[in-house]
Amino acid sequence: MDLILSDIHADIQALETILDVVTHTTFKEKYGEFSRIINLGDVLERGTHPKEVLEKLQIISKTHSLESVVGNHDEAFLYKRLVSGSSIESLVAHSYLNQQDLEFFEMNKDGTYGKQEFIDKKYNLVCVHGGPLDPNKIIPNGSREESWLYQKSWQRISEEDFEFFSFAGYNYKPSSAFKEVENLFENFIILCGHQHEEAAIIQTENGPKEILSELTPSIEKISKFTLEKKEIPIQNNENYIIRVGLGGPEGYYGIGMAKPHFGIIEYDPKKVILFSINPI
């Protein structure tokens, strides 16, 4: 079983809550123990405990396989790009990060940090923070201005029936994502985060279809926590985009009902389960 995290955003309490849930005896008896963590990015900014989050992930990586992609807020901090949303308290907490803390983000030969995607050919997974499109295909000819906003870490599922550039990132249609990944393999799942709300989209002959709203959530109790669960059975001959919700709500003051989210993947039978943890 894989544990999927996204958008922890320097929220150590949320990360520890998620880990408390998935390591609880009741959870393990029902779903099994996770052997791998897939981190979909944005472990930094917004929240106020970046050092603690990075330390926790480093500790976990010593006992579990940890596959990470870089998020747009991770890049914003590492490349000193200004992104709105972090409080003064958050900015101060991040200013204390040192080079040892930032070793979590491996530097590539070209001087960039981290991976834009993680591809698992055994289970046909494409894991990205925002989207799977090749930036070179969507950057306008002859234009390199703000080219980083076209990267996979900044791409986002369009809420319109068309694609467009904005200063929040390139907005893509699900059909473009399906077409892009069809070049790699068949019967796949694209896992992403970035937009903080859960989503599930399936590819059909008539085009992409949103399916999350068709699912009936269920409630279950794990220790002192109440979980809302949405279960997505994965059919062997279908393609999916599944977006995991906000993992760390600490920095999102004013949202009201923000709560920690995470997901798991089971492989026999194959399914993705999305969870949110209700306040105690």
Side-chain angles (χ1 to χ4, degrees):
M1 184 260 282
D2 290 336
L3 170 63
I4 313 167
L5 303 175
S6 190
D7 299 275
I8 294 298
H9 282 296
D11 187 342
I12 187 61
Q13 182 177 351
L15 177 58
E16 290 182 339
T17 297
I18 292 169
L19 293 173
D20 285 346
V21 168
V22 299
T23 57
H24 191 272
T25 302
T26 304
F27 192 92
K28 291 192 294 184
E29 287 176 350
K30 186 166 186 178
Y31 301 105
E33 296 190 45
F34 68 91
S35 57
R36 178 173 67 172
I37 298 175
I38 299 175
N39 164 40
L40 298 176
D42 272 7
V43 299
L44 296 181
E45 297 203 324
R46 302 271 186 167
T48 59
H49 297 85
K51 183 181 287 284
E52 292 86 345
V53 166
L54 291 172
E55 287 177 350
K56 191 72 173 181
L57 291 173
Q58 292 279 28
I59 291 170
I60 293 172
S61 68
K62 296 177 181 178
T63 56
H64 295 79
S65 173
L66 174 61
E67 298 289 351
S68 291
V69 297
V70 69
N72 64 310
H73 278 271
D74 302 325
E75 288 187 343
F77 178 80
L78 293 165
Y79 302 143
K80 297 179 172 54
R81 294 169 179 156
L82 183 62
V83 179
S84 64
S86 292
S87 65
I88 296 297
E89 186 180 4
S90 175
L91 293 173
V92 170
H94 282 75
S95 72
Y96 291 122
L97 293 177
N98 57 40
Q99 193 57 44
Q100 184 177 355
D101 297 323
L102 298 178
E103 287 178 358
F104 176 80
F105 302 98
E106 295 182 8
M107 182 175 284
N108 303 311
K109 292 181 180 179
D110 62 359
T112 60
Y113 289 94
K115 294 185 290 189
Q116 287 284 316
E117 66 183 359
F118 164 63
I119 296 176
D120 184 334
K121 293 184 178 180
K122 179 179 180 180
Y123 294 114
N124 290 9
L125 304 177
V126 175
C127 305
V128 291
H129 181 64
L133 275 60
D134 181 349
N136 293 319
K137 297 178 181 178
I138 56 178
I139 295 176
N141 291 334
S143 173
R144 290 288 162 176
E145 185 178 357
E146 315 293 358
S147 61
W148 42 278
L149 289 166
Y150 292 88
Q151 300 302 312
K152 296 176 182 182
S153 50
W154 288 83
Q155 294 171 17
R156 52 199 296 122
I157 300 173
S158 177
E159 297 179 357
E160 310 294 341
D161 194 27
F162 54 87
E163 300 190 352
F164 60 96
F165 170 86
S166 77
F167 285 96
Y170 184 80
N171 294 252
Y172 64 90
K173 294 197 299 184
S175 56
S176 295
F178 286 129
K179 184 177 180 180
E180 183 77 39
V181 178
E182 282 174 347
N183 296 324
L184 296 175
F185 35 59
E186 298 177 344
N187 309 328
F188 53 81
I189 303 173
I190 302 169
L191 292 171
C192 64
H194 188 32
Q195 288 164 273
H196 299 168
E197 293 184 351
E198 297 171 334
I201 302 167
I202 191 170
Q203 186 178 24
T204 74
E205 292 182 356
N206 297 321
K209 178 184 178 184
E210 186 276 323
I211 59 172
L212 192 70
S213 62
E214 300 176 356
L215 304 177
T216 302
S218 61
I219 303 295
E220 57 186 47
K221 186 87 169 177
I222 301 292
S223 182
K224 58 185 178 181
F225 304 105
T226 301
L227 275 59
E228 181 176 288
K229 177 179 77 170
K230 301 183 184 79
E231 189 170 303
I232 307 165
I234 303 299
Q235 305 300 322
N236 291 332
N237 59 343
E238 302 288 358
N239 299 322
Y240 299 82
I241 300 172
I242 297 177
R243 189 172 68 202
V244 182
L246 173 66
E250 178 192 22
Y252 290 81
Y253 40 84
I255 281 186
M257 293 304 292
K259 60 189 77 172
H261 293 73
F262 70 95
I264 65 172
I265 308 176
E266 295 183 326
Y267 291 101
D268 189 20
K270 194 171 186 178
K271 64 180 71 171
V272 176
I273 306 176
L274 301 177
F275 294 93
S276 61
I277 306 173
N278 292 316
I280 299 170

